[in-house]
Amino acid sequence: MAYITGLTRDRQEWTPQFLKAIDEDLCIGCGRCFKVCSHDVIGPVELDEEDSAKMYMRVANPGRCIGCQACGRTCSKKAFSFEPVPA
Ligand code: SF4
Ligand code: SF4
């Protein structure tokens, strides 16, 4: 299967790995991924659970992802999964 590919600055071809999902059970809501994504793909969700509040991240704008995987590198909980996208 052919996937969407890009070019590096020196014209080397590469296959972007686009954000597929964030596991909300693993996410601790630290916000690192939210800060590192320059394309506004990731957004916070706040849950009120009786006396405490929990925050986790969700894939808010999947269509804006460029497949750089920077978000996954910031996540100590390994909550991210990625995939190439068919061309
Ligand atoms: S970096 Fe990982 S643990 Fe932190 S908010 Fe993002 S998904 Fe959650
Ligand atoms: S792969 Fe890159 S563009 Fe996509 S959500 Fe993660 S940091 Fe943002």
Side-chain angles (χ1 to χ4, degrees):
M1 181 182 293
Y3 294 108
I4 292 174
T5 58
L7 293 176
T8 64
R9 185 167 179 165
D10 64 358
R11 309 294 192 275
Q12 299 296 309
E13 194 171 282
W14 66 290
T15 303
Q17 298 291 319
F18 297 98
L19 177 53
K20 180 180 178 186
I22 303 171
D23 188 330
E24 66 182 66
D25 292 329
L26 294 176
C27 178
I28 58 171
C30 70
R32 286 185 188 152
C33 57
F34 178 68
K35 289 179 187 164
V36 82
C37 180
S38 59
H39 291 266
D40 297 326
V41 178
I42 299 163
V45 177
E46 284 190 48
L47 287 180
D48 280 325
E49 293 178 338
E50 296 183 8
D51 293 335
S52 64
K54 177 185 186 323
M55 186 174 80
Y56 65 90
M57 296 295 160
R58 70 183 177 101
V59 186
N61 299 299
R64 294 185 191 170
C65 182
I66 62 169
C68 68
Q69 292 182 283
C71 49
R73 286 174 171 251
T74 67
C75 183
S76 61
K77 298 299 176 183
K78 302 193 186 317
F80 284 84
S81 55
F82 300 94
E83 64 183 355
V85 170

